[in-house]
């Protein structure tokens, strides 16, 4: 018996769905694959931008010290 290797698992009407069935159920619940993908990429882009800005601000706030 093979084990399921997909990490996505959902429960629909008391049944556990794995793999492609789980992906189809989840994306249809979220309004379709295109809508889900757009929302996901927006979240990832927002997170990346926030991290980049935070790192830039921390770098700029460091004092510029020189050995004299």
């Amino acid at each position: 018996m093979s084990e399921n290797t997909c990490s996505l698992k959902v429960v629909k009407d008391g049944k556990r769905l794995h793999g492609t069935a789980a992906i189809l159920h989840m994306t249809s619940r979220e309004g379709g694959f295109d809508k889900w993908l757009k929302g996901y990429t927006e979240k990832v882009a927002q997170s990346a931008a926030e991290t980049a800005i935070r790192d830039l601000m921390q770098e700029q706030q460091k004092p510029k010290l020189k050995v004299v």
Side-chain angles (χ1 to χ4, degrees):
M1 183 177 210
S2 67
E3 280 194 35
N4 294 323
T5 57
C6 180
S7 60
L8 179 62
K9 294 172 180 41
V10 296
V11 177
K12 177 184 178 187
D13 302 327
K15 293 182 180 180
R16 288 176 43 169
L17 302 176
H18 307 274
T20 304
I23 292 169
L24 289 173
H25 175 71
M26 184 200 62
T27 55
S28 67
R29 188 176 58 200
E30 297 293 323
F33 181 76
D34 292 337
K35 186 176 179 182
W36 172 82
L37 185 60
K38 182 180 180 192
Y40 178 76
T41 54
E42 286 174 353
K43 282 189 247 178
V44 170
Q46 180 70 28
S47 176
E50 289 172 358
T51 300
I53 295 296
R54 185 174 43 254
D55 291 348
L56 178 64
M57 295 298 290
Q58 286 177 351
E59 189 66 33
Q60 288 181 349
Q61 290 174 352
K62 289 182 182 177
K64 295 180 182 177
L65 301 175
K66 292 183 181 180
V67 177
V68 199

